[in-house]
Amino acid sequence: KKKKTNSTDIDWLLVRQRYLLLEWQQQCWVLPLFKLQRHRLISQINDAGISQPLLMPVAISADQAMQQSFHRLAGPLEEMGLELQLARDKLLLKQVPAGLRNLNWSDILPALLHGEESDLASTLAAAAAPEQQNYDRAQTQALWHWFAGNNSDWQQKLSKLAHPLPDNWPQDYAN
């Protein structure tokens, strides 16, 4: 059997629409897909550099606390690639980091505005990729191919995102 050192050569199995089961370095690993998706989102935010206008601006109601958060975070959000405007009692989102237009921004914005200035990318990723989110096979394959193709240090990252299973797990569960 050839040694699999290229991440695209690794066989994986989608389990319960939330986990990847894969074999790497003669060990089985469980990778929660939400962690992989969050890693992807943070990378996209950090690498974006440019913003894309939304085809339809997203408007959410903004109470006093949310308006204060908007004023506190306006600069960091803009640096992240988000163009937000406050109009009366509504926040309008007009631009987002490149590649992130398809996210559910009406759910993400409130979480983002309650976030800490120092960790906005992680707050956004957590709101966009909750732990209980399910992934179909096509989404999983796209995530894995992104991970395999965009991370030269994928082995190090995989060991941080995934959990190794005990060596004897198949015998323990199969017998």
Side-chain angles (χ1 to χ4, degrees), residues 11 24 119 124 142:
D11 294 323
W24 168 58
D119 209 19
L124 190 158

Side-chain angles (χ1 to χ4, degrees), residues 9-60:
D9 293 337
I10 292 179
D11 294 323
W12 53 265
L13 175 68
L14 178 60
V15 179
R16 293 189 180 167
Q17 296 182 294
R18 292 187 186 167
Y19 307 94
L20 278 185
L21 178 64
L22 39 98
E23 190 174 6
W24 168 58
Q25 291 185 335
Q26 299 171 335
Q27 192 164 19
C28 288
W29 295 75
V30 175
L31 174 58
L33 285 168
F34 81 90
K35 287 186 177 183
L36 194 57
Q37 176 67 346
R38 287 179 184 180
H39 175 68
R40 177 182 176 177
L41 290 167
I42 290 169
S43 295
Q44 286 179 291
I45 292 164
N46 292 337
D47 296 344
I50 54 171
S51 295
Q52 290 180 314
L54 293 173
L55 301 176
M56 201 66 176
V58 174
I60 62 167

Side-chain angles (χ1 to χ4, degrees), residues 69-94:
S69 293
F70 165 72
H71 290 301
R72 177 176 58 89
L73 296 171
L77 289 170
E78 192 174 318
E79 287 172 24
M80 214 167 78
L82 297 170
E83 183 188 317
L84 276 165
Q85 290 179 346
L86 185 59
R88 293 186 210 93
D89 293 346
K90 294 208 180 290
L91 272 175
L92 292 174
L93 177 64
K94 295 185 169 198

Side-chain angles (χ1 to χ4, degrees), residues 1-173:
K1 185 175 173 178
K2 74 174 181 135
K3 189 177 177 191
K4 295 180 179 184
T5 54
N6 185 332
S7 59
T8 54
D9 293 337
I10 292 179
D11 294 323
W12 53 265
L13 175 68
L14 178 60
V15 179
R16 293 189 180 167
Q17 296 182 294
R18 292 187 186 167
Y19 307 94
L20 278 185
L21 178 64
L22 39 98
E23 190 174 6
W24 168 58
Q25 291 185 335
Q26 299 171 335
Q27 192 164 19
C28 288
W29 295 75
V30 175
L31 174 58
L33 285 168
F34 81 90
K35 287 186 177 183
L36 194 57
Q37 176 67 346
R38 287 179 184 180
H39 175 68
R40 177 182 176 177
L41 290 167
I42 290 169
S43 295
Q44 286 179 291
I45 292 164
N46 292 337
D47 296 344
I50 54 171
S51 295
Q52 290 180 314
L54 293 173
L55 301 176
M56 201 66 176
V58 174
I60 62 167
S61 295
D63 61 17
Q64 197 64 35
M66 202 175 279
Q67 290 178 31
Q68 288 174 341
S69 293
F70 165 72
H71 290 301
R72 177 176 58 89
L73 296 171
L77 289 170
E78 192 174 318
E79 287 172 24
M80 214 167 78
L82 297 170
E83 183 188 317
L84 276 165
Q85 290 179 346
L86 185 59
R88 293 186 210 93
D89 293 346
K90 294 208 180 290
L91 272 175
L92 292 174
L93 177 64
K94 295 185 169 198
Q95 290 199 124
V96 298
L100 301 181
R101 286 197 305 204
N102 61 337
L103 297 180
N104 187 347
W105 287 101
S106 57
D107 286 347
I108 294 169
L109 271 180
L112 200 53
L113 289 168
H114 289 101
E116 292 301 316
E117 183 176 335
S118 61
D119 209 19
L120 288 174
S122 295
T123 302
L124 190 158
E131 286 186 41
Q132 67 275 14
Q133 183 172 331
N134 289 335
Y135 298 82
D136 63 26
R137 185 154 182 83
Q139 291 169 314
T140 303
Q141 196 158 15
L143 257 178
W144 182 255
H145 280 290
W146 170 85
F147 181 74
N150 290 292
N151 292 283
S152 57
D153 58 343
W154 67 269
Q155 293 167 322
Q156 183 182 357
K157 286 196 171 104
L158 183 61
S159 66
K160 288 180 180 170
L161 296 170
H163 303 285
L165 292 172
D167 289 339
N168 56 345
W169 80 272
Q171 295 92 331
D172 289 351
Y173 294 104

